[in-house]
Amino acid sequence: MPSRPWKVTLTTLLFVIAPAVARAEGAATTTLTRGRAIQLGATQGPGVAVAAAPRSASREAGASVTSLPHAPTVALSAGYRAGALTPGVELGVTVLQDLSTHGLGGARSDAASALVRVVETDSERARLEAAARAANAHLGALEVSEVLRLRTEALAQAEAILTATRARVQAGVGLPFELAMAQGDVGSARASMLDAEGARVEAIAELRFALGLDADAPVDATGDLYASDERPVDEPAAIRAAEARHPSIAFAIARAAQARHEVRLTTAMLAPSIGVGASYVREGTGDHVVTGILSVPLPIVSPGAFEAARQRASEATAAALVARVRAEVTRDVRLALHDREHWREVRDALRAQALQPMREALRLARVQYDVGTHDVSFVLLARQRLVTTEEQLAHVAAEVQRADIRLGRATGRLLEGGAS
């Protein structure tokens, strides 16, 4: 009787979980190359839609430009004249229109064009940032998949050593502590493999987000983690390319221009205006009076001085920011070039001086263990050192490609295939 509730619970769980598993198995996994990931990230990655959101409104502003500071006004008056020789109803109509004295129409047109330019350059900046995030997410998925493969193989090796050790101990040629060490090594290898599985889930989740996909979209990364572009890079040419085409610099310049036009627009909008109009009055006596109106501001105060000064503060900040962005881009290019060379040197050192000796050390340790000249501890140590070296090489290979991605982002050429 005590087992019956457990059976009911298990059946219920299977009933709920089985359809979900079937759906997951039935869904086709989309495997993406890095180039495709970059395209998707630049098109629908996080931040792209946000940067492009003001595009429609900015174009609408350009189509709505007018040189009039305000709409014309109409004043109506009505009354009755009494006590005159000919009393009667009086009616009056006055039409007034303010005219800008500081080129308001041109200022609005320039400000609207500057806003369009800001939105376009910001969209290009967002596309580059999203493409770089997608490329790094794709690379991250490749790296954790390789680490998971290495740790799965390491677990198989540890289990094989445990099987051999158990047989030796049962035959009386091995010591009990060797069996305990081999069992612990298997447990550690299994824990490392499970840790890699968890890291891969996180990497795939980041890949989905970077590509703008659904949170449960079946997607995976494909590519050669150990491949790299070994063509030399001309540092001065890379810096010139960054200064000429980097979206962050273009965006900063566009914002500085927008701030400058906003100062002019604020001055034009708040500057005193000239008023022109006409008035018609039908007097109670029956007479009709038509007059023209011209109002001219007195140059006593400048009502727009405060707001214009506030806008000039933003203009000065935006102008200074251009130099800062240029310096940051130059720094990023130089660092990316350094990292590009540095990680290749580390990779080559691992390949040539560490990986093969570690493999040979494990082979020799297994031979000596099989013939009984050493206990299992030498084999376990050699196996662990080899796994560490292989994972280190996988990490360094990923860093080589990350440096290429950083260089493509820093020069603004990532979307042109700067980091394949």
Side-chain angles (χ1 to χ4, degrees), residues 58-313:
S58 65
R59 293 175 178 174
E60 182 181 352
S64 304
V65 169
T66 175
S67 60
L68 300 177
H70 306 289
T73 61
V74 177
L76 302 176
S77 63
Y80 183 80
R81 175 173 291 194
L85 296 177
T86 55
V89 176
E90 288 196 354
L91 299 174
V93 179
T94 301
V95 179
L96 292 175
Q97 175 63 63
D98 289 335
L99 300 178
S100 173
T101 59
H102 285 71
L104 180 59
R108 281 176 170 166
S109 180
D110 292 342
S113 299
L115 178 58
V116 170
R117 179 61 179 164
V118 166
V119 174
E120 295 302 324
T121 54
D122 191 30
S123 296
E124 288 302 310
R125 179 202 58 79
R127 291 182 70 246
L128 177 62
E129 295 296 329
R133 181 167 186 172
N136 281 309
H138 181 274
L139 179 57
L142 282 183
E143 181 181 2
V144 296
S145 295
E146 176 65 6
V147 171
L148 177 58
R149 183 189 69 82
L150 292 173
R151 292 185 180 180
T152 301
E153 292 180 354
L155 176 59
Q157 292 175 357
E159 290 175 339
I161 295 173
L162 174 60
T163 300
T165 303
R166 181 178 289 113
R168 287 172 60 88
V169 172
Q170 292 174 350
V173 296
L175 299 176
F177 90 91
E178 296 184 67
L179 180 59
M181 289 186 63
Q183 290 172 335
D185 191 55
V186 169
S188 177
R190 181 172 288 109
S192 296
M193 185 195 69
L194 293 174
D195 181 66
E197 288 180 346
R200 189 176 187 281
V201 171
E202 294 179 2
I204 295 299
E206 168 62 16
L207 180 61
R208 292 190 188 103
F209 182 77
L211 301 183
L213 302 177
D214 293 336
D216 57 351
V219 65
D220 202 356
T222 184
D224 186 357
L225 180 66
Y226 300 97
S228 61
D229 183 3
E230 299 302 321
R231 291 175 296 180
V233 177
D234 185 345
E235 180 173 336
I239 295 175
R240 288 194 300 269
E243 292 176 344
R245 72 181 72 195
H246 202 283
S248 293
I249 295 178
F251 177 51
I253 293 174
R255 290 188 61 185
Q258 181 193 27
R260 183 172 64 254
H261 289 303
E262 288 293 335
V263 172
R264 179 187 169 198
L265 177 60
T266 300
T267 302
M269 288 183 63
L270 299 180
S273 58
I274 295 176
V276 296
S279 175
Y280 165 77
V281 178
R282 190 270 184 193
E283 296 184 340
T285 60
D287 295 332
H288 299 270
V289 181
V290 178
T291 57
I293 301 174
L294 175 65
S295 65
V296 179
L298 298 177
I300 299 175
V301 296
S302 178
F306 173 74
E307 294 297 335
R310 292 178 65 240
Q311 291 294 333
R312 282 196 295 274

Side-chain angles (χ1 to χ4, degrees), residues 330-340 406:
T330 301
R331 175 205 62 191
D332 292 345
V333 172
R334 293 184 184 277
L335 284 176
L337 288 170
H338 170 268
D339 288 347
R340 189 174 187 273
R406 285 195 293 271

